[in-house]
Amino acid sequence: MRDHGNDHGGNLDQAMAAYGAGDWIDLSTGINRRPWPLPDVPAAAWRNLPTRAAQAGLIAQAVASWGLSAAAEGVALGGAQAAIQLVPRLRPAGKAAVLGPTYNEHAACLLAEGWQVRNCTHPDDLRGADLAVIVNPNNPDGRSFRPETLLALAESIGLLVVDESFGDVTPELSLLPRLGQRNLLVLRSFGKFYGLAGLRLGFAFGAGAEIAALTRMSGPWPVSGPAIEIGGRALADSAWASAMRAQLATDAAWADALALMAGWQVAGGSTLFRLYDTANAALAQDRLAKHQIWSRIFPWSETLLRLGLPGPEPEWDRLQTALSGC
């Protein structure tokens, strides 16, 4: 069931077209299936356009929750994907480099704006680029870099974009508390860790000029009133975040144990998703799909399969049953 034209997770339409509709568990993404509990949203958040004060309040909460450097500024956007699509327009098109393999939208969006893009496998190969992208921790293999390594690397790059979409589970790796250089931009996703991807909320943080440009390009209401309301409350819930990091670490270890019993090998990942080396990724995906569990395979590998983590106990039971046949 390999589809070379759709290199994304979250493509549940493809699963249903091939295997039929039903009660699918979508583990093709790294979205937490133990979401932050939704509160009642005030009616005004639905009725009224978001005020500048409300948007500023959301940024202030993100600054407080993620320990942002006082030298950094931020903007809320419609998911990290919105930031990825705008980043290529921050500078005149030139020579870009992307550390991979990684989320393919970075290179695709740069190419669409006229950039020359090099795909690199070693961070030293990014040096000299007008714009470079590192996902930290990386999707899909979980490869990660210490903040001091990235700060040193940034000195040899025009603009270094660090995508921390999966960074909530590894706060010690975040550049946000040390963000002060003018040529650094950090992207964050809300939906992945908090399990509310449908809210479409993300952030970009960096120097004033880049943030001002992103703010202009994103328009006066880049995120919805409900996203501001829910995002602000969730980011303030530090107790939930701490407990969830511990829960996801336990879940990742259990997923690895099930995979090893199925004969797979751990090839990387984070505590939001795991990467496994299978004998045949397409066959492994097919066997999981027959239990209505959707996973992610890659056009550049015949053996690697990425698997998100189940949430409720019945999802784990189904995964265990499916893997016993792999």
Side-chain angles (χ1 to χ4, degrees):
M1 305 309 301
R2 188 177 297 274
D3 181 355
H4 291 268
N6 189 354
D7 187 20
H8 283 288
N11 55 336
L12 201 55
D13 287 339
Q14 179 185 341
M16 290 189 284
Y19 298 93
D23 183 22
W24 281 87
I25 303 173
D26 188 4
L27 301 185
S28 68
T29 75
I31 298 166
N32 185 4
R33 293 185 65 83
R34 299 183 185 272
W36 185 75
L38 283 171
D40 291 330
V41 177
W46 296 102
R47 290 198 311 260
N48 303 333
L49 288 170
T51 64
R52 292 183 180 180
Q55 294 176 66
L58 176 61
I59 293 297
Q61 184 58 65
V63 166
S65 299
W66 287 328
L68 235 75
S69 161
E73 297 183 33
V75 60
L77 298 162
Q81 178 63 39
I84 292 169
Q85 291 177 212
L86 292 175
V87 161
R89 297 164 57 188
L90 287 174
R91 302 281 175 91
K95 295 181 179 179
V98 178
L99 188 68
T102 192
Y103 182 52
N104 67 334
E105 284 292 321
H106 286 288
C109 290
L110 286 161
L111 287 167
E113 293 293 333
W115 287 80
Q116 301 173 45
V117 180
R118 285 186 296 117
N119 292 301
C120 306
T121 58
H122 194 280
D124 285 344
D125 296 333
L126 304 178
R127 297 183 186 278
D130 299 314
L131 185 152
V133 179
I134 290 181
V135 180
N136 190 44
N138 189 45
N139 164 24
D141 58 10
R143 186 182 185 186
S144 61
F145 301 91
R146 302 296 307 177
E148 52 270 21
T149 300
L150 298 178
L151 290 170
L153 180 63
E155 296 176 1
S156 61
I157 294 169
L159 177 64
L160 178 60
V161 180
V162 181
D163 182 348
E164 295 185 358
S165 286
F166 295 98
D168 286 278
V169 294
T170 53
E172 71 280 2
L173 297 179
S174 179
L175 271 178
L176 293 179
R178 304 174 64 170
L179 196 56
Q181 292 177 229
R182 293 177 58 84
N183 65 328
L184 272 172
L185 188 69
V186 175
L187 313 183
R188 291 294 289 249
S189 168
F190 170 82
K192 291 181 175 63
F193 177 67
Y194 289 91
L196 299 171
L199 207 62
R200 306 312 303 136
L201 178 61
F203 300 86
F205 299 99
E210 274 75 27
I211 298 305
L214 288 172
T215 300
R216 287 194 302 272
M217 288 188 286
S218 62
W221 304 289
V223 294
S224 70
I228 293 172
E229 180 73 25
I230 294 169
R233 291 200 209 180
L235 288 169
D237 194 348
S238 58
W240 182 92
S242 180
M244 184 52 60
R245 289 187 192 99
Q247 178 67 62
L248 289 171
T250 299
D251 288 349
W254 178 229
D256 287 352
L258 294 178
L260 289 171
M261 287 189 289
W264 299 353
Q265 298 299 314
V266 179
S270 78
T271 56
L272 281 168
F273 59 86
R274 311 302 292 157
L275 186 68
Y276 297 115
D277 196 344
T278 71
N280 184 314
L283 181 60
Q285 184 185 56
D286 177 70
R287 289 178 174 173
L288 289 170
K290 288 175 180 175
H291 293 266
Q292 294 194 310
I293 298 172
W294 194 232
S295 57
R296 168 92 186 274
I297 60 176
F298 306 92
W300 43 266
S301 173
E302 295 295 327
T303 63
L304 291 178
L305 178 143
R306 193 188 71 181
L307 200 66
L309 303 178
E313 198 64 32
E315 294 188 356
W316 284 98
D317 292 341
R318 197 193 305 182
L319 177 62
Q320 184 168 3
T321 299
L323 287 178
S324 67
C326 290

